[in-house]
Amino acid sequence: MNVADRTAFDTQVAHPLDPLSGTEIETAAGIVRKHMGGEDLRFETIELKEPSKSAVRAFGKGGAKPRREARVNVFRPGSTGVWRFVVALKEGTVA
């Protein structure tokens, strides 16, 4: 198994810039579905919202892990437009 495969399904994230795990992607989708109401949503993108450089540097020097956030683009069939959100995964909030 290569590193990309392992990271995609691993729920333990070692570094703040690691891609979202499968569990984190499912969590982000569930939070957005609850926020928007409905199972008919289609997800265009769910990806890591990278933390600031200063937060990553602080982590590298032994600091705390920055919070994990997902950038999500979603649309609803039959509706015009794409909604863009930032989801705080641990807190379960949408911005």
Side-chain angles (χ1 to χ4, degrees):
M1 177 182 289
N2 69 36
V3 174
D5 290 339
R6 189 182 75 237
T7 303
F9 298 100
D10 187 7
T11 58
Q12 297 297 319
V13 176
H15 191 275
L17 296 178
D18 281 350
L20 294 176
S21 68
T23 301
E24 289 174 316
I25 291 170
E26 289 174 2
T27 299
I31 292 168
V32 170
R33 279 190 179 105
K34 184 176 178 183
H35 176 75
M36 295 214 38
E39 291 293 319
D40 63 335
L41 298 175
R42 301 294 182 262
F43 291 87
E44 178 186 79
T45 305
I46 301 177
E47 64 186 2
L48 176 68
K49 179 179 181 291
E50 293 184 1
S52 68
K53 288 183 182 180
S54 61
V56 175
R57 287 185 185 125
F59 170 79
K61 295 178 182 178
K65 281 187 185 178
R67 80 179 188 173
R68 300 278 287 176
E69 295 181 319
R71 183 178 298 122
V72 179
N73 292 348
V74 64
F75 67 94
R76 190 179 307 270
S79 296
T80 302
V82 173
W83 291 272
R84 303 170 106 190
F85 300 104
V86 173
V87 178
L89 297 169
K90 185 176 179 182
E91 295 83 358
T93 58
V94 177

